[in-house]
């Protein structure tokens, strides 16, 4: 088509805040001497893996027009369940199943309330967050489980096409691609996006919108279960406040990655990329010798600047 | 007209990513005239109007008010300059009361506190000036029928001392009674010296109301004429560049072979607005359903399509009991509906035009849930050509299409599913006359191929043109059923109002 030559221009215009941020991240990367040394570069992906997987799940919920605040708590509960399973002597694949099914179950319950009872996603997952934290406390009996080594295998490096990749990074990339393909290429993926774009129109066009909402929360829960596995492979500890506040990082990643909070627009690739950028910036701040307390300040300011530019650009985009 | 123009536009250009919507349009509006703006779907009428509303910035060109250049970067600057635009999608705040809406942005305040009594009295005066005292002041705006909402918007505009009033397709969603009331109102405002511009696809209405007419085609001005220089045929010629012959009225063609089998029967259906309505729909017939807003025809259509559920009653479809609780169930067995409100209930902006066009067929063509996109893209292109949808690219947001093209896209989406029973809510709302005829012909072809078609429309002319049978609803019940040569505009109008002999 003749318009194809303009396609990149249109893309650049729609996505220029992301592009700008990406360039800024690159510039920071190369202007920070120590960043380039050693394992830093290769470990960004590993570092981003846990929140990245959450962001991919969050993206599914946002696309379907929802919002999931219970992710961090769900990771905590899934860790506790998997940890308890290990202390009871089960093998690692059972622990793995325990983590995933815990996440899935929490997601389905969230989705059920939102879709069938009609409760607001924000309220539902906020109360879900509290209930799930409470359950975690009960499961752990207030104690901390140590030496949870059942997923330690994921901590080692695998060789993918000549690049040494940690197991965690590989899982992150795999999860992102699977969900990306699911959303892009399948019937349910289209229906899910349509539900978030315009629920009423989608229903009239024959989409089972309530099922799609449940599906989106189930995916988010499943991702939380997977994130719990990745987290355990790394810290090997399960506490009552494990993964506290991770849902905010995942939402921030989605926002940076151009996923619309109003539903329907965005992609999991964007969410994953947003998470990578977030982690890059955090790492650079640390490397530049800024105190940890500035990290939150700087990232927060960056996200706000980013969102403001995005909204400003969006004003021209709408008719 | 020897006075000076209030508003003058010179060489207005506007393009979207290379697609030119306006190419150097000149336009003048005089005080005390009603000026009609005509053109096919996508001709650029709304774009021109929106440059005056401050919602679109032209790429180049000048806008002069009283001979002085003005710049309209946003809607409030347009209002301040005395230009009020009533958009086709009304802009009232639904949850606020009528009075609050009229005074919105201009509320009387006393000692920092809203003066509620003054709001009511000012609003009452505004409505009285428009002879619309019957509109209640304290109900929420979204509970009013469309015609009254429009009057509330006009009242709001006039409170802001508007000198130029522009209405974009104001009558597309009105019943004929409401449209007549609006016409009277516009005439009286014109006599008070307002400059009024009107966009409409109803050519009879345009010819009855306007003093001058401007025709746009493909973003260019074809010309401006005095009313007496124009007639229906010339106007169509100017808009389209050739004549359009409308097909003959059907006049109940099916009457002779009335032995057709029934595809759907509804017995004793009650709902929110309906009380015990019975209906039969036959294969291959075009059934018109009409009535005043809220008289029951809309709800009946929703119940038939599974969009809402009847509180009591029975339906059968192809001889089987039929009680869909979700549109998906209806669609699976060949019942498909096209909603009237294409922006809110029809198109899905987030998906882009191409995906919207094939959206209802995704279930039919996939392997284990994986969609055959190359097939669907080809299909979408074919539909655009088949339905003559004027578009820029398939990934375009469908809501940036012109109104008539949105309608065509929605019809294409539904009809490409090959339904057995098609329920079309206002299929030609906001559609130009060439496309209107094309849609009518398509509906006839559909019925000729055996599909049962239900058309819900307030447009009596349309019903007379295409229906085999018309069911008129009134206060939740079937007022009467017209067949054959009983189907006439006058008869339908009389029956909807309940004043039939
Ligand atoms: N935001 C946009 N992006 C891309 N194209 C647009 C946008 N807005 C309008 N257009 C294009 O500009 C052209 C003119 O549209 P416009 O809405 O002015 O037509 P119109 O004369 O009002 O038609 P209708 O009678 O159907 O309402 C159309 O081809 C439309 O597709
Ligand atoms: Mg228009």
């Amino acid at each position: 088509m003749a318009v194809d030559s303009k396609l990149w221009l249109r893309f650049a215009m729609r996505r220029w805040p992301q592009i700008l941020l990406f360039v800024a991240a690159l510039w920071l990367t190369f202007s920070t001497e120590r960043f380039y040394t050693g394992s830093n570069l290769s470990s960004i992906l590993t570092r981003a893996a846990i929140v990245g997987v959450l962001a991919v799940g969050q993206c599914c919920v946002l696309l379907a027009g929802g919002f999931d605040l219970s992710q961090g708590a769900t990771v905590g509960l899934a860790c506790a369940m998997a940890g308890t399973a290990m202390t009871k002597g089960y093998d690692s694949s059972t622990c793995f199943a325990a983590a995933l099914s815990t996440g899935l179950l929490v997601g389905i319950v969230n989705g059920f309330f939102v879709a069938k009872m009609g409760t607001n996603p924000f309220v539902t997952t906020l109360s879900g967050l509290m209930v799930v934290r409470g359950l975690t406390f009960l499961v752990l009996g207030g104690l901390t489980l140590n030496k949870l080594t059942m997923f330690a295998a994921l901590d080692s490096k695998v060789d993918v096409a000549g690049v040494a990749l940690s197991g965690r990074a590989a899982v992150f990339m795999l999860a992102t691609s699977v969900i990306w393909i699911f959303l892009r290429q399948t019937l349910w993926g289209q229906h899910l996006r349509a539900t978030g774009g315009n629920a009423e129109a989608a229903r009239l066009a024959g989409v089972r919108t309530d099922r799609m909402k449940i599906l989106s929360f189930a995916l988010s829960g499943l991702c939380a279960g997977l994130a719990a596995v990745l987290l355990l492979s790394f810290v090997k500890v399960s506490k009552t406040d494990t993964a506290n506040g991770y849902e905010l990082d995942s939402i921030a990643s989605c926002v940076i990655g151009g996923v619309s909070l109003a539903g329907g627009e965005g992609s999991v690739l964007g969410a994953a990329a947003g998470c990578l950028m977030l982690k890059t910036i955090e790492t650079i701040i640390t490397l530049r010798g800024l105190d940890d307390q500035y990290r939150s300040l700087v990232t927060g300011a960056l996200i706000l600047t980013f969102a403001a530019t995005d909204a400003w650009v969006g004003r021209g985009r709408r008719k | 007209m020897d006075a000076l123009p209030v508003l003058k536009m010179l060489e207005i250009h506007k393009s979207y990513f290379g697609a030119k919507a306006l190419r150097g349009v000149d336009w003048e509006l005089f005080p005390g005239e009603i000026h009609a703006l005509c053109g096919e779907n996508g001709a650029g009428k709304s774009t021109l109007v929106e440059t005056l509303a401050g919602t679109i910035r032209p790429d180049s060109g000048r806008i002069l008010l009283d001979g002085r250049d003005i710049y309209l970067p946003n809607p409030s600057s347009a209002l301040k300059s005395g230009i009020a635009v009533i958009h086709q999608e009304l802009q009232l705040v639904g949850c606020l009361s009528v009075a609050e809406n009229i005074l919105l942005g201009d509320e009387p305040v006393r000692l920092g506190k809203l003066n509620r009594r003054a709001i009511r009295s000012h609003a009452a005066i505004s409505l009285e000036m428009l002879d619309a005292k019957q509109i209640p002041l304290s109900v929420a705006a979204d509970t009013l029928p469309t015609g009254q909402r429009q009057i509330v918007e006009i009242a709001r505009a006039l409170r802001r001392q508007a000198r130029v009033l522009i209405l974009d397709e104001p009558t597309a969603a009105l019943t004929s009674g409401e449209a007549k009331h609006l016409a009277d109102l516009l005439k009286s405002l014109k006599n008070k010296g307002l400059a009024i511009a009107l966009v409409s696809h109803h050519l009879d209405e345009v010819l009855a109301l306007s003093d001058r007419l401007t025709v746009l085609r493909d973003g260019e001005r074809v010309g401006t004429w005095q009313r007496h220089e124009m007639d229906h045929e010339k106007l169509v010629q100017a808009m389209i560049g050739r004549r359009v012959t409308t097909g003959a009225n059907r006049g109940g063609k099916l009457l002779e072979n009335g032995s057709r089998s029934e595809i759907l029967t509804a017995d004793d259906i009650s709902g929110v607005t309906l009380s015990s309505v019975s209906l039969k729909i036959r294969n291959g017939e075009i059934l018109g359903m009409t009535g005043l807003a809220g008289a029951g025809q809309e709800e009946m259509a929703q119940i038939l399509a599974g969009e809402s559920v009847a509180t009591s009653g029975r339906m059968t479809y192809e001889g089987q009991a039929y009680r869909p609780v979700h549109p998906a169930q209806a669609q699976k067995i060949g019942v498909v509906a096209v909603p009237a409100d294409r922006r809110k209930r029809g198109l899905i902006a987030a998906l882009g035009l191409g995906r919207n066009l094939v959206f209802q067929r995704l279930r039919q063509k996939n392997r284990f849930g994986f969609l055959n996109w190359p097939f669907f893209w080809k299909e979408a292109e074919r539909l655009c050509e088949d339905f003559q949808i004027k578009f820029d690219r398939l990934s375009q947001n469908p809501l940036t299409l012109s109104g008539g093209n949105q309608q065509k896209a929605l019809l294409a989406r539904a009809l490409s599913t090959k339904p057995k029973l098609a329920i079309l809510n206002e299929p030609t709302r906001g559609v130009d006359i060439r496309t209107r005829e094309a849609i009518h012909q398509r509906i006839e072809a559909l019925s000729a191929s055996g599909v049962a078609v239900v058309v819900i429309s307030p447009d009596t002319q349309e019903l007379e043109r295409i229906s085999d049978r018309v069911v008129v609803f009134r206060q939740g019940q079937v007022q009467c059923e017209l067949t054959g040569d009983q189907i006439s505009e006058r008869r339908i109008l009389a029956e909807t109002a309940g004043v039939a002999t």
Side-chain angles (χ1 to χ4, degrees), chain A residues 254-269:
Chain A
C254 287
V255 171
I256 295 177
V259 183
S260 157
L261 292 189
E265 275 171 71
S267 105
V268 286
L269 290 189

Side-chain angles (χ1 to χ4, degrees), chain B residues 45-46 88 168-169 199 402-403:
Chain B
K45 305 177 298 292
S46 295
Q88 191 178 343
D168 194 353
E169 300 193 31
V199 179
S402 79

Side-chain angles (χ1 to χ4, degrees), chain A residues 1 3 6-7 9-11 13-14 63 178 181-212 263-266 315 317-319, chain B residues 16-18 46-47 50 55-56 306-308 325-329 331-332 337 339 343-351 355 359-360 362-363 366 368-373 381 392-395 399-402 413:
Chain A
M1 261 188 282
V3 286
K6 294 214 187 75
L7 221 58
L9 188 73
R10 200 168 290 139
F11 178 82
M13 282 194 62
R14 268 167 58 96
L63 281 180
V178 167
I181 290 170
F182 169 76
L183 287 177
R184 253 189 108 74
Q185 297 294 338
T186 72
L187 176 70
W188 283 3
Q190 283 302 300
H191 281 188
L192 197 141
R193 191 184 283 269
T195 302
N198 185 340
E200 176 65 358
R203 188 183 79 91
L204 295 186
V207 175
R208 301 286 190 157
T209 48
D210 40 2
R211 293 182 196 168
M212 289 304 124
E265 275 171 71
R315 214 177 292 164
R317 203 185 300 152
R318 275 188 26 235
K319 195 180 162 179
Chain B
Y16 296 99
F17 298 113
S46 295
T47 309
E50 305 230 9
T55 38
I56 287 180
E307 293 167 12
S308 62
V325 296
H326 193 286
Q329 290 169 343
Q331 284 162 27
K332 207 184 231 167
R343 295 181 83 92
K344 289 209 190 83
R345 313 182 75 216
L347 297 165
I348 302 165
L351 291 188
R355 286 165 203 254
F359 192 71
Q360 284 178 298
L362 297 180
R363 273 213 184 83
N366 65 74
F368 310 117
F370 281 87
L371 301 168
N372 184 349
W373 278 119
E381 264 170 21
D392 190 9
R393 66 213 137 81
L394 284 178
S395 59
L399 297 188
T400 62
L401 293 179
S402 79
R413 183 181 91 179

Side-chain angles (χ1 to χ4, degrees), chain B residues 293-319:
Chain B
Q297 72 279 13
E298 302 104 333
E299 191 183 8
M300 192 66 216
Q302 287 179 354
I303 290 171
L304 292 176
E307 293 167 12
S308 62
V309 181
T311 50
S312 70
R314 289 164 311 280
M315 290 194 284
T316 63
Y317 175 79
E318 294 192 313

